[in-house]
Amino acid sequence: MRELQLSGNKAGDSGVKHLSSLLEDPNCKLEKLNLQNCSIGEEGFRALASALRSNPSHMRELQLGGNIAGDSGVKHLSSLLEDPNCKLEKLHLYYCSIGEEGFRALASALRSNPSHMRELQLSGNKAGDSGVKHLSSVLEDPNCKLEKLHLDNCSIGEEGFRALASALRSNPSHMRELQLWGNKAGDSGVKHLSSLLEDPNCKLETLNLIYCSITDEGFRALASALRSNPSALRELYLNGNQLGPSAQQLLSKLEKHPNSKHLQIHGSNESILL
């Protein structure tokens, strides 16, 4: 057995405890486990983390989104992530009721063992600016090779965007996909992000800024950055922001730029007011 998909069942903590007895068996070589939306709480996360610490070297993908982890559950999981024998590459924890303390624990664990994780999905949690600052301390580590980061609907404001952009400028060559829709970036937050995009070492291919309270001022900063370094980005999502005629014109010109022939801007021909 290499892959087990059990999402959408009523496992609960008791069910996960039974499954954990399998995971801790040294003969178990499971690589992918999907337990999304399985009504798992703190005790289930504790059992799962404990079992995987006993046998940490095979699991590569752990999908746990839609469960009630909370900060306590994530702290148990963090004890697995900091194990040098843990080779986890993909971790999905979206909508798991995680707050700042959970983000702090997660960041601390990943700083201890940063080189394996490639995809981190944390959308729908209460990160706030403080939580993102903790996570940024991982992103700026040169040993961090994260390629996909999802932080949609995480209550992130200007300070969070500043921290995120600063961290990625320190280590810009690995990130390929950044999902940030539904946060309160505003024009100031997007200006910080634009300083990352204009870095020639930035290899970001997909950037999602849907419903991020951006107006023409932010769009001008974004367009200016992309004119400076247009070759990497492939997908830019801007729907649901306050896109005025001048910004539309700028982005339209950017799409037609000879170095931007692969760039697709979604939402550049519409104005959807928040």
Side-chain angles (χ1 to χ4, degrees), residues 14 21 25 28 47 53 73 84 106 127 139 163-164 181 184 194 202 238:
S14 300
S21 64
D25 188 319
C28 176
R53 281 201 309 274
L106 194 60
L139 300 175
L164 194 60
W181 63 265
K184 300 173 183 178
S194 297
C202 177
L238 297 169

Side-chain angles (χ1 to χ4, degrees), residues 234-255:
R234 296 291 181 268
E235 301 278 343
L236 179 60
Y237 294 85
L238 297 169
N239 313 69
N241 291 291
Q242 296 171 328
L243 180 58
S246 62
Q248 287 187 24
Q249 196 172 39
L250 275 172
L251 293 170
S252 180
K253 286 180 180 178
L254 180 63
E255 279 186 305

Side-chain angles (χ1 to χ4, degrees), residues 82-257:
E82 65 191 6
D83 187 323
N85 294 311
C86 176
K87 304 293 191 297
L88 202 64
E89 296 173 0
K90 296 182 180 181
L91 178 60
H92 293 196
L93 290 170
Y94 54 82
Y95 291 95
C96 278
S97 305
I98 309 169
E100 181 192 346
E101 286 304 306
F103 274 80
R104 185 200 299 273
L106 194 60
S108 176
L110 289 171
R111 281 199 306 273
S112 302
N113 184 25
S115 60
H116 300 290
M117 192 66 71
R118 295 294 181 270
E119 182 174 326
L120 196 53
Q121 294 207 19
L122 296 167
S123 300
N125 291 296
K126 299 175 182 178
D129 292 341
S130 300
V132 170
K133 286 178 182 178
H134 295 308
L135 195 60
S136 296
S137 66
V138 181
L139 300 175
E140 65 190 5
D141 187 322
N143 294 310
C144 176
K145 306 293 192 298
L146 198 66
E147 296 174 359
K148 296 182 180 181
L149 178 60
H150 291 218
L151 289 169
D152 309 312
N153 285 319
C154 279
S155 305
I156 309 169
E158 179 193 346
E159 287 305 306
F161 273 79
R162 184 202 298 270
L164 194 60
S166 175
L168 289 172
R169 282 200 308 272
S170 302
N171 183 27
S173 58
H174 302 290
M175 190 65 70
R176 296 293 185 270
E177 182 177 328
L178 200 51
Q179 300 277 350
L180 295 167
W181 63 265
N183 289 297
K184 300 173 183 178
D187 294 335
S188 299
V190 169
K191 285 179 182 178
H192 295 308
L193 204 57
S194 297
S195 65
L196 164 67
L197 295 174
E198 65 190 6
D199 186 326
N201 294 311
C202 177
K203 301 296 188 290
L204 198 64
E205 296 174 359
T206 300
L207 176 60
N208 191 331
L209 293 170
I210 291 174
Y211 288 104
C212 278
S213 305
I214 311 168
T215 68
D216 277 14
E217 187 180 348
F219 283 115
R220 281 194 292 272
L222 204 54
S224 175
L226 290 171
R227 282 199 303 270
S228 302
N229 182 30
S231 58
L233 204 66
R234 296 291 181 268
E235 301 278 343
L236 179 60
Y237 294 85
L238 297 169
N239 313 69
N241 291 291
Q242 296 171 328
L243 180 58
S246 62
Q248 287 187 24
Q249 196 172 39
L250 275 172
L251 293 170
S252 180
K253 286 180 180 178
L254 180 63
E255 279 186 305
K256 295 172 184 175
H257 193 284

